């Protein structure tokens, strides 16, 4: 018996549309003696699309994990919709977060459809949502194959579908371009435009610095655990990075 | 900017405590060997009793304290509670080992065999195994938040299991001198005096060792925090310099 | 402060050694009784359980009454022939206990030293950070 | 303004989905069933070679062999079932489902229980065949003991494997912790089933069964609490 069979009904209307969707205040994370993040503060509104760039080990993935409420920061706080503390309300907030992590977060033994059906079902979505997203990410023909045999690109597409199937209003993407061919990347940008139209806030961590900075409303540059630069930008991400770090490193 | 030399503060109370413990220890040894009467059937071997029983109690105390501190850590996330839990587990294992190594010597004399599978020895052995594994997990995990949580979980499971292990092991086998279960029956006044001194001395020893270990544990945590502070200061300085020299 | 602890403990550990030795070998000074049986340091055969042992001794009602009580009995209540010496066992037990204690304290000392070394490293790091700051400030203007 | 969302699936729906997933994955690979099942047979063969096949000894050694084998299989199953969640970090995806912890714990517990009981369906008949027991044990009490014992073992094993999932050397550490903690269950199992295998004493397993049930209750409650602490940083 399925309890939830409602079809995906466009953008979900969450709380106040005004004010920032997330506000990060003096975020600090450390692992033992290593400072992963220090004093990171920024705000982001609905329908924004933020790029997060920085060298390896700068703290980008840690930031994403904190935003996804999967990691509890030792210092500072993250509020959602101006009032909800990510630490206290994580169980209600989690249903509104879509995450494409470094790993694909799916079961290799199951087919694409089964994986998607699992996550859709857990979030109270019916098979229509699954069909819709399988079609959308171009995996409809491969839906009945076990994920273990998928190429990196196909896994990445599935990860996207899995992250979006419950229509979150905060989408966190860790290196989503990895493994995607030119066509796949084009599809990703298309998808992100669509999300923007649905008032979804997107944070995208990438080291593909040849990407155009104009794709994003703002670019956050992180180096050695600190937010070095946060502004709208032109040129490529590589230019932004060079300007932000002053060519020091 | 000047930095004070980083030398740990002396803890005079701890020195005093250690000194008192040692005096008590010397007094106890004197009492055990010069004052306490030699027991009839066990002979001088009965004198093991004066360290065996208090060790057992100190061992359990260590584990129970470890569990309590672990609960506190899980509920409050206080790192100091975790330090106490770790220290208590180590001290508990130490006393537990003491029990397990003196126990067989007793058994050799009393029952003619080194190992009898006697219930309380078995219970102590099982507890020792659990907490040695706990310390192993600590060793592999280092001082990360995850390790702290995992170890807290293990300590709680281990101590919650004590009554069950005890019941099952006792029902399984049985024979142990029930000396201090009654109202001092079966023990002469002289023995009672020595035993009381022994309990006090072991309490002092327990507190001293625990305090030493907790102090070191806290120092380690403070050192971690200090390293973080220095690295943070380094980052801030870098930011300032970057800003002043674009 | 911690460095003096092992010395104290060593002294403590030696105490039972001397006493146990005195008890096992020569005339005892302790407790006002004596293990009169010849000092049998290495009992090859397991001593009989108390009950059997009681049967083998000549039936002193005094001794038996004392032994039939639950729990421990002071040796002064028993005839000398009933006593079984256990000096080496006792010595072993106390030696083991004090060795354990000593080892743990040594472990604590090692940990403490590690923390001290760590703090020295921290001190160096602080100076390094300071130096770098000064150099940059000077070169910058 | 309130959220216009689809109704959140309740505990039973979540549990059903997770359980279906776990069973599908296992049936597709049969990883645990094949390896652990073979391991059970190898164990029984070994024990039968070890000189226990003596009629005199069988009744006293069979219970021990049975519960040692169950404990071995348990460690094997628990490590593996939780390892699946760590591969590809699928667990992070599950944690992002609101209010899933209860269902997640229960589903892992039931999966472990199901696998271990299936393995016992193989193990116990083999044991009864290999060991020349003087009497056939009464089925109902034996099943009750096996059920209660396995439930407790799973309650403990589930929380332990969850806690150790991110630790180095977990394959070694899990049995190191599981076996001492499960001592009450193992003693109760051995002594309880010994009364069933002994032709002279056909009663007395009741006490051991109640000890097992006390163990089950304690570790189910503790397990659920500590599972949340261990899994959800």
């Amino acid at each position: 018996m399925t309890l939830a069979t409602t079809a995906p009904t466009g953008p979900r209307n969450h709380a106040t549309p005004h004010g920032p969707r997330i506000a990060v205040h003096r975020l600090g994370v450390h692992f033992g003696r290593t400072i992963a993040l220090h004093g990171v503060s920024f705000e982001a509104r609905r329908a924004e699309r933020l790029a997060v760039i920085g060298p390896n080990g700068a703290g980008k993935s840690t930031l994403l994990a904190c935003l996804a409420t999967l990691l509890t920061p030792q210092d500072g706080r993250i509020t959602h919709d101006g009032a909800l503390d990510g630490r206290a309300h994580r169980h209600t907030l989690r249903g509104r977060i879509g995450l494409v992590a470094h790993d694909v977060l799916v079961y290799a033994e199951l087919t694409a459809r089964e994986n998607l059906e699992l996550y859709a079902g857990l979030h109270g979505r019916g098979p229509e949502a699954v069909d819709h997203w399988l079609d959308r990410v171009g995996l409809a023909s491969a839906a009945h194959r076990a994920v273990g045999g998928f190429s990196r690109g196909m896994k990445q597409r599935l990860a996207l579908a899995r992250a979006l199937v419950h229509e979150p209003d905060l989408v966190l993407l860790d290196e989503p371009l990895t493994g995607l061919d030119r066509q796949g990347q084009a599809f990703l940008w298309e998808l992100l435009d669509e999300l923007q139209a649905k008032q979804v806030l997107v944070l995208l961590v990438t080291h593909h610095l040849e990407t155009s900075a104009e794709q994003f409303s703002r670019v956050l540059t992180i180096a050695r655990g600190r937010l070095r630069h946060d502004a709208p930008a032109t040129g490529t991400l590589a230019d932004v990075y060079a300007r932000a770090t002053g060519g020091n490193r | 900017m000047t930095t004070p030399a980083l030398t740990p503060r002396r803890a005079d109370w701890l020195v005093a405590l250690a000194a008192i413990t040692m005096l008590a220890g010397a007094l106890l040894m004197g009492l055990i060997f010069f004052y306490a009467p030699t027991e009839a059937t066990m002979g001088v071997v009965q004198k093991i009793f004066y360290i065996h029983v208090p060790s057992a109690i100190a061992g359990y105390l260590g584990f129970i304290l470890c569990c309590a501190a672990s609960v506190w850590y899980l509920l409050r996330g206080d790192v100091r509670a975790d330090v106490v839990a770790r220290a208590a587990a180590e001290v508990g294992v130490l006393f537990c080992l003491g029990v397990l190594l003196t126990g067989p010597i007793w058994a050799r004399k009393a029952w003619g065999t080194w190992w009898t599978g006697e219930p309380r020895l078995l219970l102590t052995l099982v507890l020792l195994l659990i907490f040695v594994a706990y310390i192993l997990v600590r060793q592999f995990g280092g001082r990360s938040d995850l390790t702290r949580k995992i170890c807290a979980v293990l300590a709680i499971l281990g101590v919650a299991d004590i009554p069950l292990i005890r019941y099952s092991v006792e029902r399984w086998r049985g024979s142990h001198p029930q000396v201090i279960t009654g109202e001092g029956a079966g023990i002469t006044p002289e023995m009672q005096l020595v035993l009381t001194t022994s309990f006090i001395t072991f309490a002092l020893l327990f507190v001293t060792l625990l305090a030493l270990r907790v102090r070191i544990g806290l120092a380690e945590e403070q050192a971690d925090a200090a390293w973080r502070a220095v690295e943070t200061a380094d980052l801030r300085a870098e930011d300032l310099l970057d800003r002043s020299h674009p | 402060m911690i460095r003096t602890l092992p010395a104290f403990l060593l002294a403590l550990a030696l105490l039972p050694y001397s006493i146990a030795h005195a008890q096992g070998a020569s005339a005892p000074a302790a407790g006002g009784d004596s293990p009169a049986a010849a000092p049998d340091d290495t009992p090859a055969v397991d001593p009989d359980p108390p009950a059997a042992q009681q049967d083998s001794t000549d039936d002193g009602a005094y001794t038996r009454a004392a032994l039939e009580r639950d729990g421990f009995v002071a040796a002064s209540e028993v005839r000398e022939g009933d006593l079984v010496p256990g000096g080496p066992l006792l010595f072993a037990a106390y030696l083991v206990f004090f060795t354990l204690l000593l080892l743990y304290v040594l472990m604590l000392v090692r940990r403490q030293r590690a923390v001290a070394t760590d703090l020295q490293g921290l001190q160096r790091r602080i100076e390094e950070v300071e130096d770098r700051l000064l150099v940059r400030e000077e070169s910058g203007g | 303004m309130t959220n216009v969302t689809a109704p959140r699936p309740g505990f039973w729906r979540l549990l059903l989905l997770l359980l279906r997933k776990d069973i599908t994955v296992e049936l597709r690979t049969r990883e645990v069933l094949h390896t652990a099942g073979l391991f059970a047979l190898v164990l029984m063969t070994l024990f039968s070679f070890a000189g226990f096949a003596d009629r005199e000894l069988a009744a006293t050694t069979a219970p021990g062999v049975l519960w040692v084998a169950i404990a071995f299989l348990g460690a094997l199953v628990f490590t593996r079932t939780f390892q699946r969640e760590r591969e590809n970090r699928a667990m992070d995806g599950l944690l992002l489902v609101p209010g899933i912890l209860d269902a997640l714990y229960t589903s892992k517990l039931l999966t472990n229980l199901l696998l271990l009981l299936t393995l016992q369906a193989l193990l116990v008949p083999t044991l009864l065949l290999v060991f020349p027991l003087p009497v056939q044990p009464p089925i109902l009490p034996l099943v009750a003991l096996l059920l209660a014992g396995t439930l407790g073992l799973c309650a403990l094993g589930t929380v332990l494997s969850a806690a150790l999932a991110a630790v180095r050397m977990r394959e070694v550490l899990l049995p190191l912790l599981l076996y001492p903690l499960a001592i009450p269950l193992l003693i109760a199992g051995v002594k309880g089933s010994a009364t069933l295998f002994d032709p002279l004493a056909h009663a007395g397993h009741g006490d051991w069964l109640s000890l097992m049930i006390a163990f089950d209750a304690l570790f189910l409650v503790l397990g659920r609490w500590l599972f949340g602490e261990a899994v959800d940083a």
Side-chain angles (χ1 to χ4, degrees), chain A residues 46-129:
Chain A
R46 272 153 223 292
E48 269 199 285
R49 189 193 300 165
L50 270 56
V52 182
I53 59 173
N56 276 340
K60 296 168 299 188
S61 295
T62 308
L63 174 64
L64 233 52
C66 287
L67 291 172
T69 70
L70 290 174
L71 183 68
T72 310
Q74 282 98 352
D75 300 307
R77 47 195 259 128
I78 300 173
T79 50
H80 295 250
D81 284 327
L84 298 176
D85 185 349
R87 217 173 292 193
H89 294 92
R90 63 181 179 197
H91 288 295
T92 49
L93 287 170
R94 280 176 172 180
R96 297 168 51 186
I97 296 170
L99 175 68
V100 173
H102 209 261
D103 300 282
V104 281
L105 279 61
V106 293
Y107 297 91
E109 297 86 354
L110 299 181
T111 66
R113 166 173 286 278
E114 283 165 339
N115 268 304
L116 219 47
E117 270 176 350
L118 170 68
Y119 285 102
L122 291 175
H123 283 285
R125 300 291 160 144
E128 299 85 355

Side-chain angles (χ1 to χ4, degrees), chain A residues 32-33 38 224 226 228, chain B residues 224 227-228 232 238-239 242:
Chain A
R33 291 175 180 187
H38 171 70
R224 285 189 71 193
R226 287 150 308 146
R228 300 293 301 262
Chain B
D224 281 357
W227 274 100
R228 285 197 294 269
T232 310
E238 201 175 87
D239 288 350
D242 281 358

Side-chain angles (χ1 to χ4, degrees), chain A residues 26 30-35 38 72 74 90 223-226 228 245-246 248-249, chain B residues 143-145 149 220 223-224 227-229 231-232 234-236 238-239 242 245-246:
Chain A
R26 304 191 62 81
H30 55 79
F31 302 110
R33 291 175 180 187
T34 318
I35 312 253
H38 171 70
T72 310
Q74 282 98 352
R90 63 181 179 197
R224 285 189 71 193
R226 287 150 308 146
R228 300 293 301 262
T245 53
N248 279 349
R249 247 166 307 279
Chain B
R143 289 194 291 277
S144 77
D145 288 355
K149 269 199 167 167
E220 283 169 346
D224 281 357
W227 274 100
R228 285 197 294 269
E231 295 306 323
T232 310
D234 187 31
L235 293 178
R236 282 211 188 118
E238 201 175 87
D239 288 350
D242 281 358
H245 313 289

Side-chain angles (χ1 to χ4, degrees), chain B residues 71 74-75 126 129-130 133 136-137 140 146 149-150 153-154 156-158 160-161 164-165 167-169 171-172, chain D residues 159-160 163 166-169 173 176-177 180-181 184 187 191 207-208 211 215 218-219 222 225-226 229 232:
Chain B
V71 172
L74 283 187
L75 295 180
V126 172
L129 291 176
I130 293 171
L136 275 181
V137 177
F140 290 129
L146 184 68
K149 269 199 167 167
I150 291 169
V153 169
L154 297 181
I156 295 167
L157 288 176
D161 212 9
L164 292 173
I165 302 175
Y167 174 78
S168 61
V169 162
R171 278 227 39 201
W172 183 43
Chain D
V159 63
L160 277 182
V167 179
R168 280 193 300 142
M169 315 254 304
L173 287 172
L176 273 186
L177 281 157
L181 285 168
I187 289 181
K191 297 300 268 189
D207 282 6
W208 294 113
L211 172 64
F215 187 97
L218 177 68
F219 282 92
L222 270 184
W225 172 44
L226 296 173
E229 296 287 343
D232 200 1

Side-chain angles (χ1 to χ4, degrees), chain C residues 6-141:
Chain C
F8 273 108
L9 284 168
L10 195 66
L12 265 186
L14 287 176
L15 193 69
Y17 171 81
S18 58
I19 294 164
H21 185 74
Q23 277 221 332
S26 62
D33 55 68
S34 60
D40 180 10
D41 277 1
T42 50
V45 189
D46 299 340
D48 293 334
Q53 193 185 328
Q54 199 181 320
D55 287 339
S56 67
T57 57
D58 56 341
D59 50 341
Y62 178 62
T63 304
R64 184 175 292 168
L67 287 174
E68 273 171 357
R69 288 212 317 256
D70 276 344
F72 298 137
V73 174
S76 51
E77 297 177 62
V78 187
R79 291 194 184 168
E80 287 185 347
D82 298 338
L83 294 171
V84 183
L89 287 180
L90 181 67
F91 168 60
Y94 276 81
L95 187 70
V96 158
F97 187 80
F98 279 102
T99 312
L100 269 181
L101 210 56
L102 189 70
L103 285 179
Y104 187 65
V105 172
L106 286 177
M107 232 182 72
L108 288 183
V109 172
R110 253 184 45 198
R111 277 183 179 281
Q112 177 84 350
R113 288 227 182 99
V115 175
T117 324
D118 189 36
L119 287 180
Q120 279 168 12
L122 180 63
Q123 182 99 49
R124 273 198 299 278
R125 176 83 180 111
I126 290 173
E127 281 157 16
E128 194 183 293
V129 171
E130 272 180 8
D131 287 352
R132 227 177 56 190
L133 269 172
L134 288 175
V135 168
R136 283 224 194 162
E137 261 166 24
E138 280 161 15
S139 69

Side-chain angles (χ1 to χ4, degrees), chain B residues 178-226:
Chain B
Q178 294 287 330
V179 177
I180 47 167
T181 48
E183 311 80 45
I187 198 162
T188 67
E190 292 94 338
M191 289 175 177
Q192 185 59 60
L193 176 72
V194 180
L195 191 61
T196 309
T197 317
S198 181
F199 277 129
I200 293 168
T201 309
F202 271 75
L204 282 169
L205 186 62
F206 181 84
V207 173
T208 310
L209 290 176
L210 191 74
L212 278 171
R213 184 66 187 86
V214 167
R215 209 171 109 84
I216 293 173
L218 288 178
E220 283 169 346
E221 297 297 337
Q222 282 159 3
D224 281 357

